[in-house]
């Protein structure tokens, strides 16, 4: 099989022990190492199609690696063929139609920069190092979500290789059932090689971060929850309890502290955005106030997620409406007085445009939720399997009254929890996704989940 692949594929075809193998299959989240039998570095759509045809012929499972932000211990690939898409990095923009053609190897940073040259912006994620395709296939909730909805709502078409090795298009008129599934259904349908993505006219926004010291966490958190009840759709926001180490690269006012970071993005007139934010600004002294009019191209600075690869552990879920009892329960577990190996506890305000499906319908899960909640563990792999899971399990159990029955696959944490896959969509959507997968991959070549 290896000779067959090497004779038909122009990109690298590597096996365990080959020079460059480890680098080829490395993920941004280094929590686990991928060790497939064969790594295929696709340099074209033809390479993807050839690899899939060989895999189907030999009944070898196929998986795909983009940037690998979503890699977890349970998703490490140990068999079959792993197709890497980093070389599929073509990117073009039609400023008239506002459509970006995005290759599967592109991260959001590339699309944001290219779109800005035309006064446009993609509805992207909070981190611009995340790959565009894997993120969008799961829905995608970025810093402008309340105003513009899920990122997948802006996908206008996909090109993918199916289990038969055929390269097809999926959009509103071609294979519309598959198009419906790819906007939120995540994986198991084929290898997506590119997508057409509509951009929005956006050059500036009013956004950034406020930082409050530990003593103000409880009142600011309660006030933010109250504020979200009436916040306009033009305002998207989140709060995060941060435990920051005393390291020199961290700004001095924040160094070594536990604090509350309030992130804010307002689309519209900056004076109005400032007025909407002012009640939160007035709550307490700010350690840093970094909210101002900013270029839309700098949107990743709002969350300022780490850019370099490293080990990470995340547990996330969606929540219904919150109240003061929620705040008390949450802070009793992760407040500044608690000694826990959790460096980020984040709440994002949802609703607004995220609650409305696209006119033709999509497979996105989580539209009924009001907030998302994420826990990020201390980046110590020794804690990932023994300490953090039971700790966060216990916290989530305490928060049960507020946990939404609706979930989203991008928030399912590597599917490590029982039933997390099945509950990432409403039951009707889950059943329809299974039908679409069976149609396009009847033999289960593309292993998912």
């Amino acid at each position: 099989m290896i000779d067959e692949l090497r004779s038909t594929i122009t990109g690298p075809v590597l096996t365990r022990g080959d020079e460059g193998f480890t680098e080829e299959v490395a993920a941004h989240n280094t929590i686990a190492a991928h060790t497939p039998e064969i790594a295929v570095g696709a340099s074209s759509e033809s390479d993807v199609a050839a690899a899939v045809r060989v895999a189907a012929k030999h009944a070898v499972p196929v998986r795909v690696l983009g940037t690998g932000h979503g890699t977890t211990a349970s998703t490490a690939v140990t068999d079959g063929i792993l197709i890497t898409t980093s070389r599929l990095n073509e990117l073009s923009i039609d400023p008239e139609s506002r459509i970006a053609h995005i290759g599967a190897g592109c991260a959001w940073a590339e699309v944001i920069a290219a779109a800005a040259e035309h006064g446009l912006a993609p509805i992207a994620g909070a981190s611009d190092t995340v790959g565009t395709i894997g993120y969008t296939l799961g829905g995608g909730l970025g810093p402008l979500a309340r105003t513009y909805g899920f990122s997948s709502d802006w996908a206008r078409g996909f090109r993918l290789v199916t289990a038969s090795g055929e390269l097809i298009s999926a959009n509103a008129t071609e294979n519309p059932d598959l198009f419906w599934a790819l906007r939120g259904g995540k994986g198991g349908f084929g290898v997506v090689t590119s997508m057409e993505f509509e951009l929005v006219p956006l050059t500036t926004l009013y956004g950034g971060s406020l930082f409050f010291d530990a003593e103000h966490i409880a009142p600011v958190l309660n006030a933010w929850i109250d504020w979200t009840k009436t916040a306009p759709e033009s305002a998207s926001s989140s709060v995060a309890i941060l435990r920051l180490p005393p390291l020199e690269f961290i700004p001095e006012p924040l160094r070594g502290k536990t604090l509350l970071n309030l992130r804010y993005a307002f689309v519209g007139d900056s004076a109005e955005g400032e007025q909407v934010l002012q009640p939160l600004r007035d709550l307490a002294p700010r350690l840093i106030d970094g909210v101002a009019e900013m270029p839309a191209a700098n949107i990743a600075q709002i969350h300022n997620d780490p850019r370099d690869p490293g080990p990470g552990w995340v547990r996330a879920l969606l929540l219904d409406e919150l109240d003061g009892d929620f705040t008390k329960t949450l802070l009793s577990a992760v407040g500044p007085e608690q000694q826990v190996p959790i460096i980020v506890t984040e709440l994002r305000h949802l609703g607004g445009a995220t609650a409305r499906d696209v006119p033709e319908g999509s497979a996105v899960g989580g539209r009924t939720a009001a907030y998302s909640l994420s826990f990020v563990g201390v980046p110590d792999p020794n804690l990932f399997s023994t300490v953090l899971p039971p700790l966060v399990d216990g916290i989530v159990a305490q928060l049960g009254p507020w946990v939404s029955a609706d979930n989203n696959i991008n928030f399912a944490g590597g599917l490590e929890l029982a039933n997390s896959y099945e509950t990432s969509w409403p039951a009707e959507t889950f059943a329809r996704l299974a039908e679409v997968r069976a149609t396009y991959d009847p033999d289960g070549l593309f292993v998912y989940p």
Side-chain angles (χ1 to χ4, degrees), residues 53-66:
R53 285 193 291 268
V54 171
K57 175 182 175 182
H58 295 276
V60 174
V62 175
R63 299 175 181 85
V64 184
L65 177 67

Side-chain angles (χ1 to χ4, degrees), residues 28-370:
H28 190 276
N29 185 356
T30 62
I31 182 175
H34 294 303
T35 56
E37 297 171 62
I38 301 172
V40 173
S43 62
S44 65
E45 291 179 330
S46 296
D47 277 358
V48 175
V52 169
R53 285 193 291 268
V54 171
K57 175 182 175 182
H58 295 276
V60 174
V62 175
R63 299 175 181 85
V64 184
L65 177 67
T67 60
H69 278 74
T71 296
T72 68
S74 64
T75 60
V77 177
T78 58
D79 64 352
I81 293 175
L82 181 63
I83 298 175
T84 62
T85 60
S86 61
R87 295 170 183 82
L88 305 179
N89 57 0
E90 69 277 7
L91 173 62
S92 61
I93 292 174
D94 181 345
E96 296 299 319
S97 65
R98 305 204 315 266
I99 297 295
H101 174 81
I102 306 171
C106 292
W108 280 119
E110 302 164 69
V111 184
I112 291 170
E117 296 179 8
H118 304 285
L120 302 171
I123 304 308
S127 170
D128 62 3
T129 64
V130 170
T132 57
I133 300 298
Y135 167 89
T136 303
L137 293 178
L141 287 167
L144 300 178
R146 281 181 47 78
T147 307
Y148 292 107
F150 283 85
S151 296
S152 61
D153 295 345
W154 295 87
R156 297 295 175 254
F158 299 89
R159 282 172 64 84
L160 70 159
V161 175
T162 63
S164 64
E166 180 184 6
L167 181 64
I168 67 171
S169 296
N171 51 50
T173 58
E174 299 175 273
N175 303 298
D177 57 337
L178 184 56
F179 182 49
W180 169 87
L182 291 170
R183 290 205 284 183
K186 198 65 173 184
F189 307 101
V191 181
V192 175
T193 58
S194 66
M195 71 174 171
E196 304 292 313
F197 196 88
E198 184 177 346
L199 308 172
V200 301
L202 185 67
T203 57
T204 63
L205 56 91
Y206 187 77
S209 286
L210 306 176
F211 293 87
F212 298 92
D213 214 339
E215 63 190 285
H216 305 300
I217 289 178
V220 173
L221 179 55
N222 275 315
W224 174 78
I225 290 174
D226 289 341
W227 175 88
T228 61
K229 309 299 185 185
T230 57
E233 289 190 10
S234 49
S236 298
S237 64
S238 63
V239 292
I241 300 171
L242 306 181
R243 287 175 162 80
L244 299 178
L247 300 177
E248 290 187 3
F249 70 87
I250 296 172
E252 193 279 331
L254 313 180
R255 199 174 299 161
K257 292 187 175 182
T258 296
L259 47 85
L260 189 75
N261 176 204
L262 192 155
R263 296 85 162 256
Y264 181 74
F266 183 90
V267 177
D269 179 71
S270 290
E272 183 183 354
E274 181 178 9
Q275 183 179 15
V276 171
L277 178 65
Q278 199 61 44
L280 298 178
R281 250 190 180 127
D282 292 341
L283 288 170
R286 283 90 63 199
L287 295 170
I288 292 179
D289 187 331
V291 182
E293 185 172 302
M294 63 187 297
N298 294 346
I299 193 168
Q301 295 178 5
I302 294 176
H303 282 242
N304 201 27
D305 285 353
R307 302 186 63 82
D308 296 329
W313 185 93
V314 179
R315 176 72 57 77
L317 61 153
L318 301 184
L319 304 173
D320 294 326
E321 292 295 337
L322 304 181
D323 52 28
D325 287 339
F326 169 84
T327 302
K328 292 177 184 177
T329 305
L330 181 69
L331 293 182
S332 71
V334 298
E337 298 83 12
Q338 309 306 318
Q339 299 299 313
V340 291
I342 297 173
I343 56 174
V344 181
T345 303
E346 180 197 67
L347 287 162
R348 297 189 190 187
H349 183 208
L350 306 181
T354 69
R356 297 188 293 271
D357 202 355
V358 291
E360 62 274 26
S362 71
V364 170
R367 291 197 186 272
T368 67

